[in-house]
Amino acid sequence: MTSQMLQVRVEARRMYRRPACALVLVLAAAFPLLPLLLAAVGSTQTVLGSQEVTAFAESSGLSFTTFTFLLAGQLVVPTVAAYFFGESLARDAEWGSLRSLIVAGASRGRILEVKALCAAAATGVVIVGCAVTTLAVGVLFYGSGSLDAPGNSSIAFGPGVGRVGLMVLTMLLCNLWIAALAFLLSAWSHGNPLTAVGGPLMVLLISHLLGTFPGLGYARDFLPTRSHGTWMVWAYDPVPTDILSWGVFVSVLYAALFGIAAVVAFQTRDISA
């Protein structure tokens, strides 16, 4: 019975059946319609504040996709990662499911493994699905032209699609720290999903604010949001590998620290409390 309860596909099915999860999936899939609507009503320049960037967003399907990523990467992607990882343990703790699993003989390590895998898969499905939808909508309305980032040479459609894929992969890597922090708070909290989901978003905001203070000097390079826009380097040719490698490194470093802390917190936590 325990092994059946802790199968990844069973846990994934339970996760996707939650109404809130279905709402997240729908909103993420529909997000590409927002910049499209702004362009249709002529409000894109008002939002972007730049004629050059406006022309870029509407120049081709690839450029539209990159612009949509620019919008989604500010809050949508971090929120999706925080939601799935923050709810993973805290929601079951709120419902009393964690205690039932422990009583049934499930190891805490197995619980962590299954919850993390399901949360990672759900996050990946949402973000990749949003990217595919965005690219399809962009090509349909703006054509299969080249990717023309401001101040950069054109990248043809074929290689540009590959660059979009690398953008998605880098975006996932750069949000690892948010996912790991949400997982830590989920393992730490006693049935409080709101704290587990909202905490990382608050840290994201504070880190962004700290990054605007020049007085911090080189310390700003170690803020977790240092990696926030790293994925954008794939829109340029040649790719600035120094920015890419450091941005991914900072995110993975914090993710590893938060992940280790989550394991320790959950292993030592009183589930019966």
Side-chain angles (χ1 to χ4, degrees):
M1 181 63 179
T2 303
S3 60
Q4 292 180 351
M5 293 171 62
L6 284 174
Q7 288 181 358
V8 174
R9 65 175 181 273
V10 175
E11 177 62 26
R13 192 180 304 120
R14 288 179 59 243
M15 178 183 293
Y16 285 119
R17 283 178 177 174
R18 295 175 184 173
C21 180
L23 179 61
V24 170
L25 292 172
V26 171
L27 291 178
F31 182 79
L33 298 178
L34 175 61
L36 188 65
L37 179 62
L38 291 175
V41 299
S43 301
T44 313
Q45 186 177 352
T46 303
V47 175
L48 297 175
S50 169
Q51 179 65 42
E52 182 181 17
V53 180
T54 299
F56 161 68
E58 301 176 6
S59 63
S60 70
L62 290 174
S63 299
F64 173 80
T65 301
T66 304
F67 167 63
T68 304
F69 286 174
L70 190 61
L71 293 180
Q74 300 301 312
L75 187 61
V76 175
V77 176
T79 300
V80 168
Y83 169 75
F84 284 116
F85 280 87
E87 284 244 325
S88 57
L89 294 167
R91 184 65 68 186
D92 280 357
E94 182 182 39
W95 291 342
S97 304
L98 287 180
R99 184 178 182 184
S100 299
L101 289 172
I102 296 295
V103 171
S107 68
R108 299 192 182 207
R110 177 60 178 170
I111 294 174
L112 283 174
E113 178 187 356
V114 171
K115 295 291 185 181
L117 285 174
C118 289
T123 303
V125 165
V126 170
I127 296 176
V128 173
C130 183
V132 172
T133 304
T134 302
L135 183 59
V137 169
V139 171
L140 178 64
F141 282 88
Y142 298 111
S144 56
S146 58
L147 175 58
D148 301 309
N152 184 59
S153 57
S154 297
I155 301 175
F157 181 76
V161 172
R163 293 295 185 95
V164 168
L166 292 171
M167 287 181 191
V168 174
L169 176 60
T170 306
M171 192 179 296
L172 289 170
L173 291 174
C174 290
N175 282 277
L176 274 178
W177 73 270
I178 293 178
L181 178 56
F183 201 54
L184 167 60
L185 294 178
S186 188
W188 218 343
S189 65
H190 293 272
N192 192 347
L194 182 60
T195 299
V197 175
L201 300 180
M202 183 62 67
V203 173
L204 177 73
L205 176 60
I206 293 173
S207 181
H208 272 309
L209 291 176
L210 290 176
T212 63
F213 291 104
L216 292 178
Y218 290 110
R220 290 187 298 175
D221 290 337
F222 291 92
L223 291 173
T225 47
R226 175 64 178 79
S227 64
H228 199 62
T230 301
W231 59 269
M232 189 64 183
V233 300
W234 293 110
Y236 294 90
D237 196 17
V239 176
T241 54
D242 55 336
I243 296 177
L244 174 64
S245 57
W246 182 254
V248 172
F249 168 75
V250 170
S251 178
V252 172
L253 174 64
Y254 279 106
L257 295 176
F258 292 146
I260 293 172
V263 172
V264 173
F266 191 69
Q267 293 287 357
T268 57
R269 171 182 165 183
D270 182 8
I271 301 294
S272 63

